[in-house]
């Protein structure tokens, strides 16, 4: 494989990994936040359930962002060599 093909393959793999990660993240958030916030499933959410889901989702997004920053920082400081 030449360099250009190798780079294209690497970009495709990275894209597929990012999609898989995003799908897993949203599935986990949906399952965990639903279990935590929805006491009696019905046809609509109460305002309390909607607020709980919003806060729960925000916490998962913030935690993931923080973990990603720490991993990236460690990688940039020589951990990824």
């Amino acid at each position: 494989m030449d360099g250009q093909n190798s780079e294209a393959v690497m970009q495709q793999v990275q894209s597929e990994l990012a999609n898989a990660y995003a799908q897993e993240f949203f599935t986990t958030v949906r399952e965990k936040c639903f279990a935590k916030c929805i006491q009696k499933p019905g046809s609509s959410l109460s305002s309390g359930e909607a607020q709980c889901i919003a806060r729960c989702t925000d916490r998962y997004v913030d935690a993931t962002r923080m973990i990603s920053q720490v991993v990236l920082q460690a990688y940039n400081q020589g951990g990824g060599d």
Side-chain angles (χ1 to χ4, degrees), residues 12-67:
Q12 179 67 27
V13 169
Q14 287 173 339
S15 176
E16 289 178 19
L17 285 173
N19 287 337
Y21 175 77
Q23 184 66 36
E24 182 178 341
F25 173 80
F26 288 117
T27 298
T28 299
V29 169
R30 183 178 59 240
E31 289 173 356
K32 301 253 185 218
C33 292
F34 184 88
K36 176 180 174 44
C37 298
I38 309 300
Q39 303 303 315
K40 297 177 184 174
S43 61
S44 63
L45 297 175
S46 70
S47 62
E49 290 170 335
Q51 289 175 354
C52 180
I53 286 180
R55 285 191 307 268
C56 180
T57 301
D58 288 345
R59 280 195 304 270
Y60 271 97
V61 168
D62 290 343
T64 300
R65 184 179 298 127
M66 191 168 27
I67 291 167

